[in-house]
Amino acid sequence: MQLEIFGDDDSLKRKKAVRYDWTPHPGRHTNLAKALMQKVWDKDSGYDQNDRDILGFYLAHSPEGVEPLRMTYKEIAEKLGVRQEKVSKAVDKLHNGGLLLLAEKVARVRFFRVNPRAGYDGPASEQVEAVKDARFPVVPAPKAKATRRPVRREAKAS
């Protein structure tokens, strides 16, 4: 006969992590790379206030794990009260800097996710797997690629 001093087998199994509940506004907990975020918020980071607002929006609204934020630039712009062009420009800059990663493309619509090296919402064991293929974010922000404008040729007067 076996004595159950330590309880049944179910009690010995690993318990599922409890998500934080910050009353009165409960929610999930996101791990951030604090040193990286400090660099992003420095005045010499190359990222402006609009870029930081968009990054904060992605951190706050992204689904758990490595899923992309499935919102269009128009939807994000409406939520933040800015123009769609500002969102597009900021997302491109954050993507070039590696803070946002392209997760999927549906027709012409691109969906991004937060780089798990910058911020991750989910269990630490899954973050270890998520960062394996993630590039390192860059601060200061990379310079925007110069766009080539067509050269206008003057018509010769005859």
Side-chain angles (χ1 to χ4, degrees), residues 17-145:
V18 176
R19 304 302 272 171
Y20 291 112
D21 183 9
W22 302 101
T23 305
H25 304 291
R28 297 187 321 255
H29 174 74
T30 301
N31 294 322
L32 292 175
K34 196 168 179 180
L36 174 65
M37 291 300 132
Q38 288 172 351
K39 288 181 181 181
V40 170
W41 260 259
D42 282 347
K43 65 176 176 148
D44 299 329
S45 69
Y47 296 101
D48 61 22
Q49 185 59 46
N50 189 55
D51 302 329
R52 291 187 289 268
D53 288 346
I54 299 300
L55 177 59
F57 185 88
Y58 269 83
L59 288 167
H61 291 84
S62 290
E64 193 169 339
V66 294
E67 289 296 311
L69 178 62
R70 288 187 178 88
M71 290 179 74
T72 64
Y73 295 162
K74 182 179 181 180
E75 292 170 326
I76 295 171
E78 288 173 357
K79 276 232 183 243
L80 292 175
V82 297
R83 292 183 325 195
Q84 186 175 340
E85 295 78 27
K86 284 191 173 245
V87 174
S88 174
K89 184 178 175 185
V91 168
D92 285 344
K93 193 177 198 180
L94 293 165
H95 173 62
N96 288 337
L99 292 164
L100 295 180
L101 302 175
L102 181 62
E104 74 184 40
K105 192 173 180 180
V106 179
R108 291 180 39 193
V109 180
R110 300 177 303 163
F111 295 108
F112 292 88
R113 65 184 173 106
V114 176
N115 186 332
R117 293 185 184 278
Y120 189 77
D121 180 9
S125 59
E126 291 177 19
Q127 184 177 13
V128 170
E129 288 299 314
V131 298
K132 286 185 178 178
D133 65 342
R135 62 188 174 127
F136 287 92
V138 178
V139 178
K143 300 290 182 201
K145 296 177 184 176

